Amino acid sequence: MKLYIGQQIALPALESVRLGKTRNEAAATLTATVLTAPADTYFLKLSVAVGDPVRLLDDEGKEIFLGSVHEINRTPEAVTLTAYDQGIYLTRNELYGVYAGTGKDIAAKIAGELGIPLSTVEDDGLRRTIVTGAGQSAFSILRRAVGEGREIAIRDGVLTVTKGSGNAVLLRPERVLEVSSRASIREMVNRAVVVGRNGNRLVSARNDGDAALFGQFQQVIGKDGDPAAQAKAALKGRTMSARVTFLGDLSLRCGGTVEVHRPQWGLEGLYTVTAHEHKWERGLFTTSLSLEAIKT
């Protein structure tokens, strides 16, 4: 791993680096702490300013992160900086107006307004009309437009919206350091009803299997686009999630897929990575993933 701040490589005095992203954030965040010793003429003299570019490369020289410094904190012993990739522009720009159409249509409009190139957009197929007001970021509008469970990120300088990325990676037990898991039906919706403006039922959808096992959990929603597709999309089953920490692997990131077969951990099958954190500290490289079961 190599970290460049501006044109300087920070590795010789690097105390720790953390690189993370969650599904609910537009930008990947990198935090680095570099040791300093102002009185030692032989120690690294780090020149860093807000706005400086930050690059993180893996051991083979592949770029893992490209962003810029947004915050610097200095102490007599160290400099800690926080950098974000270009996804920060989705978070820090509020938009206004009416956004109508499919997720792809709305994503194209948002990307055009922000001057960001647009690549793949895998939406949920629903058409929406979103009337924005004060305080609504581009990211929050885009999230409403493409639906839940999508990974929104800027990769290689272009905006992408995906349901998942690549083939599933097998998570080998011998590499795992720590596991916690959770199963819940607290958010289950096994019957969804779409109503019109007068409160009349337009269409409904039901998961008979879940209703038979757990009883009925119904949600009523107002019409917004295709009622049948809207009702089907509102159904939610049992949630199964986990947090796993293991020996570091930069190939795993938010939006990816892992395969785990350890029933004793409460994990069996395919899981979407909803958050990742890569950490280098005291010579140890670890990766922590938040996982959510993929519904089949």
Side-chain angles (χ1 to χ4, degrees), residues 28 51-56 63 65-70 83-86:
D52 281 352
V54 176
R55 297 175 67 222
L56 181 67
E63 188 174 88
F65 174 87
L66 175 62
S68 59
V69 177
H70 281 242
Y84 300 97
D85 71 9
Q86 290 179 312

Side-chain angles (χ1 to χ4, degrees), residues 25-220:
E25 297 171 334
T29 304
L30 183 145
T31 303
T33 299
V34 183
L35 298 174
T36 59
D40 188 338
T41 58
Y42 295 97
F43 206 78
L44 174 71
K45 297 298 183 289
L46 181 67
S47 175
V48 57
V50 170
D52 281 352
V54 176
R55 297 175 67 222
L56 181 67
L57 310 181
D58 66 14
D59 292 337
E60 297 178 353
K62 180 182 177 182
E63 188 174 88
I64 303 301
F65 174 87
L66 175 62
S68 59
V69 177
H70 281 242
E71 184 174 292
I72 302 170
N73 290 287
R74 299 180 185 272
T75 69
E77 296 81 23
V79 175
T80 299
L81 62 88
T82 302
Y84 300 97
D85 71 9
Q86 290 179 312
I88 195 67
Y89 297 119
L90 292 172
T91 304
R92 294 292 302 279
N93 281 284
E94 297 179 358
L95 303 179
Y96 56 91
V98 178
Y99 295 83
T102 64
K104 291 181 180 180
D105 297 332
I106 296 173
K109 183 175 180 180
I110 290 173
E113 290 184 18
L114 297 180
I116 299 173
L118 181 65
S119 181
T120 305
V121 177
E122 298 176 351
D123 59 20
D124 60 8
L126 298 178
R127 297 182 64 86
R128 295 177 172 86
T129 299
I130 301 172
V131 180
T132 65
Q136 296 192 41
S137 69
F139 179 72
S140 67
I141 298 168
L142 187 56
R143 169 62 70 203
R144 291 174 60 189
V146 301
E148 296 297 326
R150 300 300 192 271
E151 167 64 7
I152 301 172
I154 293 184
R155 293 180 178 166
D156 299 323
V158 297
L159 174 61
T160 63
V161 180
T162 58
K163 291 184 288 187
S165 61
N167 297 322
V169 176
L170 181 63
L171 195 57
R172 300 188 179 280
E174 62 270 20
R175 296 180 60 84
V176 174
L177 303 174
E178 185 177 303
V179 180
S180 61
S181 62
R182 173 178 177 268
S184 174
I185 61 170
R186 292 182 62 181
E187 299 177 359
M188 175 176 285
V189 176
N190 52 40
R191 187 171 191 269
V193 179
V194 180
V195 298
R197 292 183 178 180
N198 297 325
N200 56 309
R201 182 173 69 88
L202 301 177
V203 69
S204 65
R206 190 172 188 266
N207 184 319
D208 293 329
D210 281 352
L213 282 172
F214 306 110
Q216 180 172 292
F217 299 102
Q218 177 174 287
Q219 182 179 22
V220 179

Side-chain angles (χ1 to χ4, degrees), residues 240 256-260 266-273 291-294:
M240 300 186 68
T257 304
V258 298
E259 182 178 354
V260 190
L267 302 175
E268 180 65 36
L270 298 177
Y271 294 81
T272 295
V273 180
L291 306 177
E292 185 177 285
I294 295 177

